[in-house]
Amino acid sequence: MPNNDIEITTICADLESSKFTLLSSGHDADEQDRLNAERLAKKLPKIKIFGTGGTIASKGASASHTAGYHVDLTIQELLESIPDISKICDIDYEQLCNVDSKEIDESSLVSIYNGVSAALQTFDGIVITHGTDTLAETTFFIESTIDSGDVPVVFVGSMRPSTSVSADGPMNLYQAICIAADKSSRGRGVLVSLNDQISAGYYITKTNANTLDSFNVRQGYLGNFVNNEVHYYWPPAKPEVCHKFKLGLSPAPNGSSSNFPTVHVLYGHQSLSPELVKLVAQTCEGLVIATMGAGSLPSIVNDAILELSIPVIYSKRSMDGMVPRANMPKHKSTATRNNVIASGHLNPEKSRILLQLCLFERFGLNEIREVFSNAYGG
Ligand SMILES: NC(=O)C[C@H](N)C(=O)O
């Protein structure tokens, strides 16, 4: 039986307390019992940490490189780089996948969903390391599909690879673990911890492709982390507008990506071709369009869309603002807008996930409209 316990020396200045024991999933039962008894005696919160990859788990060519890096660190190696957390919580970790977040697909989402669902039963907090490029899609998916009750589910990434000068990964991960272990994080659902800020996973968006301050949330940050202290600006709350899907996905090691309907996103621009829209519509079960303003598209494109039999969500290129229902086009002869639905404040990539979930649940047009009306669209 392999012994997966490892001793880790951290960068903590206090050598005496700078060693702690990490557990990976799969210890023998006696050892697990002993460690559980120790945990209970100490009454430290139990935190589950999942690794999925991203820049936080990447290495570059040299300390000055902040681009052109590749994923190369396991979650165990990442945990070796953080300050001592042995007095804050007990941790258990698991590698779900180890990829740049551009590779995260429906089967990865299902494996994160299954990991979080299982960990909710026995852990006080959950941390997930993830690439920042598509992090907001995963947090939106998890908030839309899991009711985590009191247990905080904290996503974290970084903008600089682990090898760079002033890499932000270790501090971001340390903060995420502290946030997950902190009582004041309970009842807040899916959180994102990045660059000292705490945000709601439902609302957050990546707004800068390069800086450390890469995430923005127009609804406001929920709190911050300074000098080992977690501060929240508001009492616990979850996004009221979030529709909760009860997927009931069973653990499937290979994921169930094929079960998720295909939804494509098209980017609106001057002279957008109705032919392109019709062509793409033949290859999917639903379509999202990033319209030019609050739902505006060339009239010939609107006319082509209104003839389609699949649902089409009108989202927006602009980061802020929303697409209201009142701006949806109507069919010239029937004056109906059957298959056309406004995304409200949801951006194209979140609209895509929401439509996928609706189609996965086999919702009809009225039900889909109702779900999007939660986000002030419909
Ligand atoms: N900062 C990052 O994590 C970007 C990276 N390409 C990713 O999303 O995996």
Side-chain angles (χ1 to χ4, degrees), residues 54-55 69 100-102 131-134 158-159 206:
T55 297
Y69 45 78
D100 186 287
S101 74
K102 68 186 178 201
T132 58
D133 288 346
T134 70
S158 82
M159 290 302 288
K206 185 169 182 177

Side-chain angles (χ1 to χ4, degrees), residues 31 118 145 203 215 232 277 307 312 326 350:
E31 185 64 353
T145 53
Y203 285 115
F215 278 76
Y232 283 103
V277 175
E307 296 299 332
V312 181
K350 288 182 183 172

Side-chain angles (χ1 to χ4, degrees), residues 69-89:
Y69 45 78
H70 58 280
V71 175
D72 197 24
L73 283 178
T74 62
I75 186 64
Q76 177 173 318
E77 288 169 313
L78 259 176
L79 287 164
E80 289 170 15
S81 67
I82 65 169
D84 183 16
I85 46 167
S86 61
K87 294 197 173 69
I88 297 164
C89 59

Side-chain angles (χ1 to χ4, degrees), residues 136-198:
E137 286 159 74
T138 302
T139 57
F140 182 83
F141 179 90
I142 296 297
E143 184 66 272
S144 300
T145 53
I146 292 182
D147 182 352
S148 62
D150 268 354
V151 179
V153 180
V154 187
F155 280 78
V156 61
S158 82
M159 290 302 288
R160 291 185 181 146
S162 66
T163 40
S164 101
V165 185
S166 302
D168 52 332
M171 185 49 115
N172 286 351
L173 177 56
Y174 173 71
Q175 293 187 353
I177 295 171
C178 295
I179 290 164
D182 199 287
K183 280 197 176 113
S184 63
S185 300
R186 290 186 185 163
R188 294 179 186 271
V190 178
L191 300 171
V192 175
S193 153
L194 214 112
N195 204 36
D196 303 338
Q197 311 288 1
I198 310 168

Side-chain angles (χ1 to χ4, degrees), residues 224-240:
N224 72 356
F225 187 103
V226 175
N227 195 30
N228 285 313
E229 288 170 17
V230 180
H231 304 270
Y232 283 103
Y233 310 133
W234 329 101
K238 292 185 183 171
E240 199 176 38

Side-chain angles (χ1 to χ4, degrees), residues 166-346:
S166 302
D168 52 332
M171 185 49 115
N172 286 351
L173 177 56
Y174 173 71
Q175 293 187 353
I177 295 171
C178 295
I179 290 164
D182 199 287
K183 280 197 176 113
S184 63
S185 300
R186 290 186 185 163
R188 294 179 186 271
V190 178
L191 300 171
V192 175
S193 153
L194 214 112
N195 204 36
D196 303 338
Q197 311 288 1
I198 310 168
S199 321
Y202 177 86
Y203 285 115
I204 201 156
T205 310
K206 185 169 182 177
T207 51
N208 192 302
N210 317 102
T211 64
L212 299 190
D213 190 18
S214 56
F215 278 76
N216 217 308
V217 60
R218 294 301 195 230
Q219 288 75 9
Y221 292 115
L222 302 180
N224 72 356
F225 187 103
V226 175
N227 195 30
N228 285 313
E229 288 170 17
V230 180
H231 304 270
Y232 283 103
Y233 310 133
W234 329 101
K238 292 185 183 171
E240 199 176 38
V241 294
C242 175
H243 183 95
K244 288 279 186 195
F245 293 84
K246 290 196 170 56
L247 294 189
L249 294 172
S250 54
N254 297 324
S256 341
S257 53
S258 55
N259 292 342
F260 277 91
T262 304
V263 175
H264 291 314
V265 178
L266 276 177
Y267 199 84
H269 53 81
Q270 292 178 345
S271 309
L272 176 65
S273 152
E275 298 312 315
L276 177 69
V277 175
K278 284 190 241 172
L279 207 64
V280 173
Q282 288 169 23
T283 66
C284 56
E285 288 151 78
L287 193 59
V288 175
I289 307 206
T291 68
M292 274 94 90
S296 50
L297 287 178
S299 301
I300 48 167
V301 176
N302 281 333
D303 293 345
I305 288 172
L306 286 160
E307 296 299 332
L308 298 173
S309 54
I310 58 169
V312 181
I313 310 297
Y314 277 46
S315 183
K316 63 211 160 59
R317 299 192 311 197
S318 320
M319 193 199 134
D320 288 327
M322 59 178 286
V323 179
R325 183 192 294 225
N327 280 353
M328 291 301 92
K330 288 201 170 98
H331 198 279
K332 275 188 188 130
S333 49
T334 60
T336 56
R337 54 185 188 92
N338 290 327
N339 61 328
V340 169
I341 296 169
S343 76
H345 64 76
L346 293 179

